[in-house]
Amino acid sequence: MAEMQSVEEPDLDPNKDDLPLRANTNHMLVRHYVLDLAVHFERKIVGGSIVLFLEPGKAHAEAPDCDPTASLSPPPKQPKQEPQHQFCPNEPDVSQTEVTVENCDEKQVGGNTTYLWEEGMCNDFTLVFDCCNLSVSKVEEVDVASVAGMRALLVDCEQPPQAGRLSFTLVERLLALSSARWQEQHNLYLQCSTAPCPRGALPISFHTDNWSLQLRKRGVCWPSDFPRVIRIWYETQPEGASVRWTKTQDGRCCVYTMGSPINNRALFPCQEPPVAMSTWQATVMAPSEFTVLLSGENHATPVQEESGLSRWTYYVTMPMPASTFTLAVGQWHEAKVKPSTGVQVFTDSNNSCPESGCSSVEKPCHGSDQKSQDPPEGPDQGMCLHVDYPCRFAVSPARREAIVPHRVFSPACLLQQVEAMVLPLLPACLAAAHAVLGVHPFSHLDVLIVPSGFSSLGMASPHIAFLSQSVLAGPRHLCGARLCHEIAHSWFGLVIGARDWTEEWISEGFATFLEDVLWAKVQQLSRSEEEDQLHLRALLRWRRLHDELQNSEQELQILRPHKESTGVVSESGASTVKHGLNPEKPFMQVHYLKGYFLLKFLASFTGHEQFLAFLCLFVRTYHGQLVLSQDFLQMLLDHFPDLKRHGLTLEGIYADWLDAPGTPKWLSEKSAAWLQTPLVAEVQQEVTKWIHFTLGHRKGTKRKRGEPCLKVNFKEMGPEQIVLLLELLLEEEKMSAGVLQTLERTYSLRMQDAEVKHRWCELVVKHKHSAAYKDVEDFLIDNQAMGVYLYGELMVHEDSRQQALARRCFSLTQEHMDPAALSVVSEMIL
């Protein structure tokens, strides 16, 4: 028991880079959140309340007879922290921006008794939530028994609730409602969220440190006796890393959650460990000119309030980790297909949401109202092994829905590009994903073009995906491939998640592998054309991985940094994410690339089509669940018993691919074969031409009188071939300004996608091609997610003009730059 109480840990050294997950999920689990929030742009805060519906963890579901005054071994003495402000939970007028610690001596304040946190309650159970940069003003119990509709849950109760435990019984029955009654359940959640505190209830004391919010109620020494529904009043802080306050490309204010290394703990108090899966409802108030997007199952429509604000309501019925909750508020505009463009609109009138959207739980978008759903068919019968929720995999219409309802939002200044690029591609990418992987796990998809300071090319969350503006320029390849990558995350990363966040490859490696498969299908390539493209993309990724492995710490190259301790947590459920706070980690792609190559390695033994079929089987088996590496690998080895004859074992795969830095032997050997493939051979021929062309234009090369200038017929190539061409030309020692100008004109490099432009800028910097410095400046401003490496190149040459260029671009972008990029670039420049 003493060990269970010892939940506080000394705050981490800020120089360390392991992210703490403090929530004691083994003792208590959040099953549902109800958020009621308002967005205040003038103060850069989100504030309001969150109501949490709790269930004791399996390890402590049953409480023994407990005398609250009994002598229990106290936890180790913790260092006393000085509170910044002392107040009591029933003070409604406390300045929330000053509050970090509730710390009252036992005394009468406003008619209520409050207690000193550090002393006098060492035997009481402490409930711990992950929390950072939040100003908590009050925590209170909620009287669910006062909600009239809750009493109906007792109608079929065989025995009356025990004396004094009515609220416990009501919440247990509410949480236990079947998925067929999810609408009733959500309506009761909503009613409970506005219920008052129980009359005469002792207050809930709380304390915050750098990484957690801790709650106690006097006399409650077991999780099973802790209140099952609590309400927390709080505000975010402007510096909280979960929330980005910035401006759109139109120069208008906006805010979005960024999937930062600390996830959502600076947006609301929550349980961050992946095992703490929950559902949620959220009401968000914002100025009426703003659009509120959120990871919810419904297409919300705003309700205008008398205050001039708009109220947006979203919900989810699939239990998900709190880290997947995503919010974006800005003056976004919905892109529309113009009839005059002739762009095909992919819709299914039978399965789409109504045009007015679904604004309440009365109008489900997932088509999973079990009163009207078709029974499971064929081999999918009984396939759902997850907890009970309205699952699309068990609904016949969802199985036939190749293209789920979708919308695209962006700032007004980018609408034309979005309508020309994203809208035509999105239906085809959705259809390709359905053809390869089967049922779409989520009922609809919103895509948002985020501000230029966004930290990557994309990010996927339930029902919503963020895309960088970098994918909008040039040919469609970069945009299409990135859409495929984010859509693939619906299956790998969201509906199937990693049980230990250190196994990032389970999400990113699979999405990278499937990106190629889906994009080839969108392009309607033949099998031979697909093979050629896959080999080219594999070579490009191999070159990127090889460079990263040469220039990174070995510890960051390991896909299972916890190794045999992967998935292991403390007795309370607390753990850490290895390297989770390292500012260099977001810019590394080892989990993407090495994970991708591991899947290619495995597919080389099973066969491509057979491997894809197995992925579908894995999805049908594990959707709605969290997995570790061994779940996938062991199922693969069992499904393909011949793999053992090739020497493949779980232990061998760990040793070669997951638990060691560096390059597996297979990858070193296979990369040589990719050099011989047709698309790569074409590039090598063009490189040879450019080298000869360069030699003919070097200073000192003499031509006879009347001899014409050297002319070469260069072959037209696709964007990925051009990327490889530029990478190979980067290995050349010298290239003159004239050759570089010809190179730019030959391939129209300024009109290509961001990947090509990035390599072009590297060439410009390496050869100090001052005539194209404006290209470098534009790239660093418009493609911030891809420019960190270029800053380093500009500074390392110790050229005063290049360094001035780097500093000028940094000064123009630093205010809205991603925090991790800001940290890394600042160190380079300052």
Side-chain angles (χ1 to χ4, degrees), residues 370-438:
Q370 296 201 4
K371 293 179 180 178
S372 59
Q373 73 180 36
D374 295 336
E377 298 172 346
D380 292 333
Q381 281 190 328
M383 65 183 177
C384 295
L385 303 178
H386 50 69
V387 297
D388 183 34
Y389 67 80
C391 178
R392 285 176 54 84
F393 284 79
V395 183
S396 293
R399 296 181 200 155
R400 298 190 294 268
E401 190 175 32
I403 303 169
V404 294
H406 51 276
R407 303 178 298 180
V408 183
F409 294 85
S410 83
C413 65
L414 296 177
L415 269 180
Q416 187 174 356
Q417 289 173 270
V418 167
E419 289 169 352
M421 179 72 75
V422 182
L423 281 184
L425 283 171
L426 185 52
C429 294
L430 289 167
H434 181 269
V436 173
L437 295 168

Side-chain angles (χ1 to χ4, degrees), residues 715-741:
K715 183 179 178 63
E716 185 177 342
M717 295 187 297
E720 287 158 335
Q721 286 182 297
I722 298 175
V723 168
L724 180 58
L725 172 80
L726 298 181
E727 288 186 1
L728 294 174
L729 290 178
L730 272 166
E731 298 172 3
E732 292 302 301
E733 197 66 32
K734 292 182 180 180
M735 294 183 73
S736 69
V739 171
L740 289 170
Q741 288 171 353

Side-chain angles (χ1 to χ4, degrees), residues 280-449:
W280 57 73
Q281 294 162 270
T283 298
V284 181
M285 301 285 288
S288 57
E289 66 269 26
F290 285 78
T291 296
V292 176
L293 302 176
L294 194 141
S295 48
E297 292 174 14
N298 56 312
H299 282 157
T301 54
V303 176
Q304 301 300 318
E305 302 288 327
E306 292 183 1
S307 62
L309 301 176
S310 294
R311 173 167 49 87
W312 301 72
T313 302
Y314 288 90
Y315 64 89
V316 296
T317 59
M318 178 193 298
M320 299 288 295
S323 59
T324 63
F325 182 97
T326 302
L327 172 70
V329 184
Q331 296 184 52
W332 325 117
H333 296 259
E334 184 177 355
K336 299 291 186 181
V337 175
K338 301 291 192 298
S340 60
T341 64
V343 175
Q344 185 178 2
V345 183
F346 294 86
T347 59
D348 184 339
S349 58
N350 294 324
N351 295 322
S352 299
C353 286
E355 294 250 339
S356 60
C358 300
S359 58
S360 75
V361 297
E362 307 303 329
K363 297 178 180 179
C365 277
H366 47 54
S368 55
D369 184 347
Q370 296 201 4
K371 293 179 180 178
S372 59
Q373 73 180 36
D374 295 336
E377 298 172 346
D380 292 333
Q381 281 190 328
M383 65 183 177
C384 295
L385 303 178
H386 50 69
V387 297
D388 183 34
Y389 67 80
C391 178
R392 285 176 54 84
F393 284 79
V395 183
S396 293
R399 296 181 200 155
R400 298 190 294 268
E401 190 175 32
I403 303 169
V404 294
H406 51 276
R407 303 178 298 180
V408 183
F409 294 85
S410 83
C413 65
L414 296 177
L415 269 180
Q416 187 174 356
Q417 289 173 270
V418 167
E419 289 169 352
M421 179 72 75
V422 182
L423 281 184
L425 283 171
L426 185 52
C429 294
L430 289 167
H434 181 269
V436 173
L437 295 168
V439 179
H440 284 279
F442 302 105
S443 57
H444 73 91
L445 178 65
D446 287 338
V447 175
L448 172 66
I449 306 300

Side-chain angles (χ1 to χ4, degrees), residues 425-495:
L425 283 171
L426 185 52
C429 294
L430 289 167
H434 181 269
V436 173
L437 295 168
V439 179
H440 284 279
F442 302 105
S443 57
H444 73 91
L445 178 65
D446 287 338
V447 175
L448 172 66
I449 306 300
V450 282
S452 57
F454 188 62
S455 59
S456 69
L457 291 181
M459 185 183 78
S461 300
H463 306 280
I464 185 169
F466 291 169
L467 277 187
S468 167
Q469 67 178 33
S470 296
V471 306
L472 299 179
R476 65 178 189 160
H477 290 69
L478 182 59
C479 183
R482 196 68 210 188
L483 279 171
C484 289
H485 182 102
E486 303 309 333
I487 289 170
H489 274 309
S490 293
W491 287 265
F492 291 93
L494 294 175
V495 77

Side-chain angles (χ1 to χ4, degrees), residues 16 85-86 98 154 303 364 373 490 524 556 738 768:
K16 301 292 184 182
H85 181 78
Q86 293 190 5
E98 299 177 357
L154 299 176
V303 176
Q373 73 180 36
S490 293
Q524 299 182 339
L556 296 177
K768 300 181 181 178

Side-chain angles (χ1 to χ4, degrees), residues 65-196:
D65 294 334
C66 177
D67 180 357
T69 62
S71 176
L72 295 171
S73 300
K77 184 71 174 178
Q78 301 295 329
K80 185 171 182 177
Q81 298 186 3
E82 293 299 323
Q84 294 183 20
H85 181 78
Q86 293 190 5
F87 74 106
C88 298
N90 292 306
E91 289 182 328
D93 57 346
V94 173
S95 173
Q96 294 180 333
T97 57
E98 299 177 357
V99 175
T100 59
V101 179
E102 190 282 338
N103 190 14
C104 298
D105 287 314
E106 186 171 346
K107 56 184 178 182
Q108 292 289 326
V109 178
N112 293 284
T113 303
T114 58
Y115 309 99
L116 183 69
W117 176 266
E118 287 90 348
E119 300 173 10
M121 292 197 295
C122 62
N123 291 335
D124 294 330
F125 167 69
T126 301
L127 177 59
V128 183
F129 295 112
D130 294 299
C131 172
C132 178
N133 295 116
L134 295 181
S135 298
V136 178
S137 60
K138 183 167 63 172
V139 181
E140 57 190 4
E141 184 177 354
V142 174
D143 184 12
V144 297
S146 67
V147 176
M150 291 288 285
R151 299 296 179 125
L153 299 178
L154 299 176
V155 170
D156 59 347
C157 193
E158 295 181 358
Q159 295 181 344
Q162 297 178 12
R165 296 190 68 85
L166 174 61
S167 63
F168 293 85
T169 301
L170 290 173
V171 174
E172 287 170 2
R173 295 184 70 82
L174 175 61
L175 296 176
L177 287 177
S178 72
S179 60
R181 300 173 65 182
W182 71 268
Q183 292 170 281
E184 175 188 357
Q185 186 183 48
H186 276 230
N187 284 328
L188 288 173
Y189 283 143
L190 196 60
Q191 292 178 50
C192 289
S193 71
T194 61

